[in-house]
Amino acid sequence: MAKAGLLILTQPLSHLHSLILPIIKQASVVVSDTLYVFLQPALQNQQLSKSTFLYPLGFTKELQSFVKEFYLNSSRLCHNLDIRILLSHISSNPSAHIAVPYSLKKEVSVLLSDSVKFQDSWMQGKNSLTDILKTSFSNIKSDLSFSLLSIGSAESSSSSESEVLELLQTYPNVVLGGTFDQLHTGHKVLLTESCLRCDKKLTVGITDGERNKKKVLWELMEPYEVRWQKVDNFVKEVKPNIVLEAVKIFDPFGPTITDPDLQCIVVSDETKAGGASVNEERIKRGFSSLDMVTIELIEDFCHAEDEESKISSSSYRKRLLGTLLTQVPIKQHLDKCPYRLAVTGGIASGKSNVCSELEKLGAKIVNCDLLGHKAYAKGMPAYHKIIQEFGNSVLGEDEEIARPKLGQIVFSDKSKLEKLNSVVWPAIRQLAEEEISGYKKAGAKVVVLEAAVLLEAGWDDMVHEVWTTFVSAEEAIRRLITRNKFNKEDAQKRLDSQISNADRIARSNVAICPEWEFEVTRKQVEKAWSLLQKRITPA
């Protein structure tokens, strides 16, 4: 199977419209990663040559509808094929349009087409056809293979002749905005419509900063640089003849209220109210209002019960939960068996429930919180060091260390907390190693180290991989008030004293979010465990 392929469709769009799904299905059997789609009905009746490939194609309602339906149908199949429809030869003024060759990022190793003419040309002279292709598309492999689609024909479109021939309006300068996290089909439809509407310069506002923290699972959002790069790659591949300007935005308006030269804004049904606000602000500033093109939201045919019904980045982020976010490094100093797994997370993030589920699945649990109690116990080495450092005032009537008393001292003074940690953390680590050793002798396959302070204490070198549990700050505070009887101020202070969710996740291999119903958490753990078994089970 080829990683990247070029699909050239030459039949009239009215015939192809009802065949989109079988076209994508057949292509997905041949191509695994990226499918570039090139629409060129002119090739149906003209000789294959350097000039006919980039023959201008009019931007009509029929073409607009076909492109959207192609992306829409690709989402129905629930596969990971990255489809990109090429647009630089499409214009609202085809008689005066000069297309530029396409610069494809992925190396194309297979050519697909609906045209028997292509098959005949391939049979008669593969090298000649490959050379012609290379004049219009970069990154075409010399040993290109060919696949003819078996799609038959369809009835003609019901569109009237005037509707088919009507050219849609385009603009020199077009603008749109969004987070563009986990670039998906909805983003592609939005960017594609923007590219089709744009003749010269496309401005894309990409959100960053505090605005993004209002999003579900924002901690799993790709960094701005990654999101910008994906938008840049997409636009430059599908329409290389326009200028792209990506702008980082921190408010609802971005460049729309500072650039008087913009003429059109592309929005979705979800953001059209924001488009109206943009025009209100532009009028206040003496700018002309923008023509607004609205894109319908796309239904997500593959969404789970706890995901949105429309295609959205938040659903894609939910699907990352329980999966491997970063590769597991090889740690030569650790034995392969038992496999050591750490579950860490902030206070009230659901660590214990996750470990309880892992125990049901067969893992052995080493609870560092319980070991902490043991380390504090009377007669233990850490016990005497704590009294020496903090005095007898931290003792209870039973002469055991009263952790609430000790907590009042250390959580109000960072230096004292650090001193306590320097005493207790090494003691807990030693006890944990002893417990892991006992499980090893008993033949355990997977041992889980449950440790809230795993990363702070530097215990991540004790395990093969790190799993982090996290919930939103609002949910953590709610749990601390309900479960621990904290007031809101104390709960916030406790959260502020910890590593942030984002920093913890950045240092972890797997993330689990017990924010919702327990059944949702359980499914995340089962998915994570299943994927873990595939990683650690010899082939």
Side-chain angles (χ1 to χ4, degrees):
M1 182 179 281
K3 287 189 175 181
L6 173 62
L7 169 60
I8 298 179
L9 296 174
T10 66
Q11 293 187 48
L13 300 183
S14 57
H15 286 279
L16 292 173
H17 208 107
S18 63
L19 298 172
I20 291 174
L21 198 58
I23 288 172
I24 298 173
K25 285 181 178 179
Q26 288 189 47
S28 66
V29 174
V30 181
V31 180
S32 63
D33 186 2
T34 304
L35 180 67
Y36 299 109
V37 181
F38 183 67
L39 308 176
Q40 189 49 279
L43 294 175
Q44 186 74 9
N45 301 313
Q46 297 185 31
Q47 184 178 356
L48 300 181
S49 66
K50 296 178 181 179
S51 61
T52 53
F53 269 100
L54 296 181
Y55 190 84
L57 185 62
F59 176 31
T60 63
K61 286 185 178 180
E62 181 185 49
L63 185 138
Q64 179 192 45
S65 173
F66 182 86
V67 169
K68 180 185 174 183
E69 284 299 315
F70 206 100
Y71 279 123
L72 182 64
N73 276 272
S74 72
S75 68
R76 292 176 183 269
L77 297 179
C78 305
H79 56 44
N80 295 319
L81 187 60
D82 181 8
I83 291 177
R84 302 188 169 208
I85 301 176
L86 305 178
L87 310 169
S88 81
H89 64 297
I90 299 169
S91 171
S92 63
N93 187 12
S95 62
H97 185 70
I98 301 175
V100 300
Y102 291 97
S103 298
L104 307 182
K105 303 292 184 184
K106 302 290 181 67
E107 186 178 49
V108 173
S109 56
V110 61
L111 171 65
L112 305 92
S113 182
D114 61 344
S115 172
V116 175
K117 181 188 291 188
F118 265 91
Q119 184 181 45
D120 294 341
S121 297
W122 184 263
M123 299 296 292
Q124 294 168 10
K126 169 186 172 181
N127 293 337
S128 176
L129 180 55
T130 302
D131 289 341
I132 292 173
L133 285 170
K134 287 181 177 180
T135 64
S136 300
F137 310 94
S138 68
N139 236 344
I140 302 293
K141 285 188 70 174
S142 296
D143 59 342
L144 193 70
S145 62
F146 178 79
S147 178
L148 178 67
L149 299 181
S150 301
I151 57 172
S153 59
E155 293 181 5
S156 298
S157 170
S158 60
S159 303
S160 67
E161 190 66 23
S162 61
E163 187 177 33
V164 171
L165 295 176
E166 180 185 351
L167 295 171
L168 300 182
Q169 184 175 359
T170 58
Y171 306 83
N173 301 298
V174 175
V175 65
L176 74 156
T179 58
F180 298 101
D181 181 46
Q182 309 291 329
L183 193 74
H184 53 63
T185 301
H187 295 139
K188 290 178 183 178
V189 170
L190 195 66
L191 288 167
T192 294
E193 181 67 25
S194 302
C195 286
L196 286 169
R197 294 284 180 175
C198 182
D199 294 326
K200 292 183 179 179
K201 180 183 175 182
L202 179 65
T203 302
V204 182
I206 303 176
T207 62
D208 203 29
E210 292 300 313
R211 282 181 62 78
N212 287 349
K213 292 184 180 180
K214 298 176 182 178
K215 302 287 186 180
V216 175
L217 299 175
W218 67 267
E219 298 92 341
L220 297 178
M221 190 176 291
E222 295 168 319
Y224 172 82
E225 291 73 17
V226 173
R227 292 179 284 127
W228 168 83
Q229 191 64 60
K230 288 184 177 181
V231 170
D232 184 76
N233 286 344
F234 181 84
V235 172
K236 288 182 177 177
E237 275 197 311
V238 302
K239 195 161 185 180
N241 56 333
I242 59 174
V243 174
L244 171 67
E245 181 179 12
V247 181
K248 188 181 290 189
I249 57 175
F250 302 96
D251 59 50
F253 302 108
T256 61
I257 59 172
T258 58
D259 187 347
D261 296 327
L262 298 172
Q263 293 99 19
C264 172
I265 184 169
V266 179
V267 298
S268 69
D269 277 336
E270 200 171 45
T271 60
K272 60 185 178 183
S277 297
V278 163
N279 276 335
E280 289 176 6
E281 287 297 317
R282 285 180 66 87
I283 291 171
K284 288 179 185 178
R285 295 166 186 250
F287 298 163
S288 60
S289 63
L290 303 176
D291 285 355
M292 196 184 313
V293 176
T294 304
I295 304 299
E296 295 177 357
L297 297 176
I298 297 179
E299 182 179 355
D300 188 347
F301 296 96
C302 312
H303 72 90
E305 289 182 8
D306 60 313
E307 295 174 351
E308 295 185 80
S309 59
K310 66 179 178 69
I311 291 179
S312 71
S313 295
S314 61
S315 293
Y316 277 74
R317 288 192 292 274
K318 278 190 176 183
R319 293 167 198 173
L320 293 175
L321 297 170
T323 68
L324 196 62
L325 301 177
T326 58
Q327 290 301 309
V328 178
I330 297 174
K331 298 182 179 179
Q332 299 288 359
H333 65 285
L334 296 179
D335 293 334
K336 292 183 178 179
C337 191
Y339 192 82
R340 298 180 176 203
L341 171 71
V343 172
T344 188
I347 190 169
S349 65
K351 297 181 295 296
S352 296
N353 284 338
V354 168
C355 287
S356 177
E357 289 304 301
L358 288 170
E359 189 171 28
K360 293 175 186 176
L361 292 168
K364 301 299 181 182
I365 311 298
V366 176
N367 188 320
C368 288
D369 188 46
L370 295 180
L371 293 181
H373 286 279
K374 186 175 181 180
Y376 281 86
K378 186 176 180 180
M380 298 293 285
Y383 175 88
H384 299 291
K385 291 181 181 179
I386 291 170
I387 295 175
Q388 183 179 356
E389 183 65 34
F390 297 101
N392 291 331
S393 64
V394 299
L395 295 177
E397 292 181 1
D398 58 358
E399 295 190 346
E400 293 286 353
I401 292 173
R403 294 180 68 169
K405 291 183 179 181
L406 185 59
Q408 288 178 353
I409 295 172
V410 300
F411 285 119
S412 61
D413 188 328
K414 187 176 181 181
S415 64
K416 290 181 179 179
L417 178 60
E418 291 174 351
K419 185 62 180 178
L420 176 64
N421 291 338
S422 70
V423 173
V424 176
W425 284 351
I428 295 175
R429 180 179 181 128
Q430 182 178 343
L431 292 172
E433 287 289 5
E434 291 172 1
E435 199 162 325
I436 292 171
S437 179
Y439 281 131
K440 179 180 179 180
K441 290 177 182 178
K445 295 289 193 298
V446 177
V447 174
V448 175
L449 191 69
E450 180 184 347
V453 297
L454 180 96
L455 299 175
E456 296 92 326
W459 296 341
D460 46 331
D461 66 342
M462 294 175 61
V463 297
H464 294 93
E465 62 183 82
V466 177
W467 293 12
T468 283
T469 62
F470 72 104
V471 295
S472 65
E474 294 78 12
E475 176 62 16
I477 289 172
R478 186 194 67 79
R479 292 179 183 184
L480 288 174
I481 292 172
T482 304
R483 184 189 73 184
N484 299 61
K485 308 305 179 184
F486 284 22
N487 60 45
K488 188 172 183 179
E489 183 181 355
D490 288 342
Q492 187 64 60
K493 284 181 179 178
R494 183 61 66 89
L495 287 185
D496 292 342
S497 70
Q498 301 182 123
I499 298 176
S500 70
N501 285 340
D503 289 342
R504 208 183 295 272
I505 290 169
R507 297 173 62 184
S508 303
N509 305 104
V510 173
I512 292 174
C513 183
E515 179 100 4
W516 306 282
E517 295 85 358
F518 179 72
E519 181 63 18
V520 177
T521 303
R522 186 182 64 78
K523 288 180 180 179
Q524 291 177 43
V525 175
E526 289 179 347
K527 178 169 70 171
W529 178 261
S530 175
L531 294 172
L532 172 68
Q533 297 308 306
K534 292 178 181 179
R535 291 199 292 278
I536 66 177
T537 303

